[in-house]
Amino acid sequence: MVNLDVYIYIAIKVNLFSLSAYVLLLEIPLKMKNIKFCFHIISYLSLSRLSNYVRLKFSYSMSFIGLNFATGNLPFFLSIEMANFCNLHCPECPVGIRKISKSEKRFFDFELFKKIINELESKLLNVILYFQGEPFLNNQLIDFIQYAHKSNIFTSISTNGQFITKDNAKVLVLSGLDKIIISVDGATQETYEKYRVGGSLEKAIEGIQEINFWKKELKSLTPFVEIQFLVLKTNEHQMKDMQHLAKSLKANRLAFKTAQLNDFVNGNELMTSLTRYSRYAKQKDGTFRIKGRQPNHCWRLWSGAVINVHGEVLPCCFDKASEYSFGNVNNHSFPACWHSKKATGFREKILQNRKQFEMCRNCTE
């Protein structure tokens, strides 16, 4: 196996940029301006991580013919929920539309996080400190980033940008955070607040400016700043304006993202009219269906996992209600949950009939 591992290591290192941008799913466009950052990503690669990734791919392929080679493999990315509540009230977000009492509000436990990182650091490439709630509501967010960074793990967060100030922007840049996604769904406050209910466009813009100020001041390549624009009926007319705004803010990337809508069969007032940016296609009878085929397999179930604020290991980010827990890391190790009977059984059911799960029927993966 040593010879195979060395071969894998060399082969993947040769194709540096495609590995960084696509194979590792970090979604960094291969453009000249991003070359330095692509090299930065390479620093996170190791023989054990690359070997684990290839074995995951092999295990996934073998599952198509009913063979299980998952033993010993671990995911190469994890999403961990920092907080289970949010300051905004976005209409399609389960957290945004839910009323949560003070006693129900939870933050992820930092000691538990350290335990998970220690278990997975040799295999884990990317930890996403986000699931549903707003990560900046967790006052220990910087500690989470720094601990993962010390373990040489790529770190990323997604935020509404309402809590980024001059002071914490400096700390954020110094923390070693690799990538930050900031949601900006409109070029004017009027359009922006139609979806980001309760949010301030000005605050989001100021947050981006503060991060870029400190990146320049500290001569830091990171974090990679991505502005994410969820394309909806309410904002599709501002896409060009958004391009100009993102350029003026010197964002590393502007991503136009398709929207997942909870109720789409009979249409939805938020559904964009731009076919390219809609997940749904209109049928002859006037109803809508999700675009593309939905084959009975899913790479996400082999490559990554989500851990909610309570410690439940979930199959993916579409399990919004935490219905399909593989186990709880408060009571078991992560590998034990990842290879549990529940996990194996869920993957087998996906291979048999993916559409038996409601959450999978609204997924484009």
Side-chain angles (χ1 to χ4, degrees):
M1 284 307 294
V2 174
N3 291 335
L4 175 61
D5 287 344
V6 171
Y7 172 77
I8 290 168
Y9 183 72
I10 294 173
I12 297 180
K13 278 275 191 175
V14 168
N15 201 357
L16 299 179
F17 298 135
S18 63
L19 176 66
S20 302
Y22 300 115
V23 176
L24 299 180
L25 302 178
L26 299 179
E27 298 182 346
I28 307 300
L30 292 179
K31 296 180 180 179
M32 286 300 294
K33 66 178 182 179
N34 295 332
I35 284 181
K36 284 186 179 180
F37 193 76
C38 287
F39 275 110
H40 170 71
I41 295 172
I42 301 305
S43 68
Y44 290 103
L45 304 181
S46 67
L47 180 58
S48 61
R49 288 173 182 170
L50 292 172
S51 176
N52 178 64
Y53 176 84
V54 173
R55 288 190 174 94
L56 284 170
K57 274 290 187 182
F58 178 74
S59 173
Y60 177 60
S61 300
M62 291 299 98
S63 71
F64 296 172
I65 56 175
L67 298 178
N68 181 10
F69 287 92
T71 304
N73 297 335
L74 289 168
F76 74 88
F77 79 90
L78 268 186
S79 292
I80 298 180
E81 187 172 40
M82 293 290 95
N84 67 343
F85 59 103
C86 187
N87 56 307
L88 301 189
H89 305 285
C90 305
E92 288 293 317
C93 175
V95 171
I97 61 177
R98 184 181 72 202
K99 290 184 178 180
I100 183 169
S101 67
K102 189 174 182 179
S103 62
E104 292 177 301
K105 292 180 179 179
R106 294 284 187 277
F107 300 108
F108 203 89
D109 182 72
F110 184 52
E111 293 303 315
L112 180 60
F113 177 79
K114 291 196 290 186
K115 169 181 170 285
I116 295 166
I117 294 299
N118 293 343
E119 289 175 348
L120 302 180
E121 65 178 326
S122 66
K123 306 290 178 68
L124 193 63
L125 174 69
N126 181 17
V127 60
I128 305 161
L129 300 173
Y130 168 78
F131 175 34
Q132 295 191 90
E134 168 54 46
F136 274 91
L137 290 171
N138 190 322
N139 292 331
Q140 287 188 287
L141 177 62
I142 298 299
D143 295 329
F144 284 86
I145 295 168
Q146 290 175 333
Y147 193 82
H149 182 69
K150 286 178 183 176
S151 296
N152 200 39
I153 297 171
F154 186 99
T155 55
S156 56
I157 60 173
S158 181
T159 174
N160 55 43
Q162 301 298 291
F163 298 102
I164 302 172
T165 64
K166 184 174 184 178
D167 292 335
N168 68 19
K170 180 181 180 180
V171 177
L172 199 66
V173 173
L174 289 171
S175 71
L177 178 69
D178 293 290
K179 180 180 177 182
I180 183 169
I181 299 171
I182 302 175
S183 296
V184 184
D185 304 314
T188 62
Q189 177 63 27
E190 181 183 7
T191 297
Y192 171 85
E193 66 185 4
K194 286 181 179 177
Y195 189 75
R196 300 288 161 184
V197 180
S200 165
L201 175 61
E202 184 179 1
K203 282 185 178 180
I205 288 174
E206 287 176 354
I208 295 167
Q209 291 171 330
E210 292 295 351
I211 290 172
N212 280 332
F213 170 81
W214 283 113
K215 282 176 65 177
K216 184 176 181 181
E217 193 76 8
L218 298 168
K219 296 180 174 57
S220 176
L221 180 67
T222 59
F224 184 94
V225 178
E226 176 178 311
I227 294 176
Q228 192 172 91
F229 183 99
L230 198 61
V231 182
L232 305 162
K233 183 67 176 177
T234 54
N235 65 9
E236 59 187 26
H237 62 289
Q238 290 194 340
M239 292 176 71
K240 285 189 177 180
D241 294 332
M242 197 65 229
Q243 289 175 324
H244 294 309
L245 178 59
K247 187 175 181 180
S248 71
L249 292 172
K250 295 181 172 58
N252 295 104
R253 183 191 187 199
L254 168 63
F256 291 120
K257 186 180 178 184
T258 62
Q260 178 197 358
L261 302 173
N262 297 319
D263 184 11
F264 65 87
V265 176
N266 294 309
N268 188 304
E269 61 181 10
L270 289 172
M271 191 181 293
T272 180
S273 62
L274 304 176
T275 305
R276 178 182 175 184
Y277 295 103
S278 177
R279 297 189 184 196
Y280 312 100
K282 194 171 186 177
Q283 302 182 101
K284 291 181 180 179
D285 63 1
T287 60
F288 290 82
R289 61 168 178 80
I290 198 161
K291 286 181 179 177
R293 294 174 58 251
Q294 289 183 296
N296 292 326
H297 52 80
C298 181
W299 167 233
R300 291 243 166 187
L301 292 180
W302 272 257
S303 60
V306 171
I307 306 178
N308 71 13
V309 75
H310 301 290
E312 300 288 346
V313 178
L314 309 176
C316 71
C317 61
F318 274 75
D319 191 5
K320 310 289 187 188
S322 302
E323 295 180 80
Y324 304 104
S325 173
F326 294 163
N328 194 302
V329 287
N330 283 294
N331 307 318
H332 307 283
S333 69
F334 178 87
C337 296
W338 178 250
H339 293 293
S340 68
K341 289 183 178 179
K342 287 183 178 179
T344 302
F346 188 85
R347 295 185 188 105
E348 289 175 351
K349 287 178 180 178
I350 288 291
L351 293 169
Q352 294 164 8
N353 179 18
R354 168 178 172 167
K355 292 182 180 179
Q356 66 182 290
F357 299 105
E358 185 178 352
M359 70 176 192
C360 298
R361 294 197 291 270
N362 196 8
C363 175
T364 54
E365 290 291 334

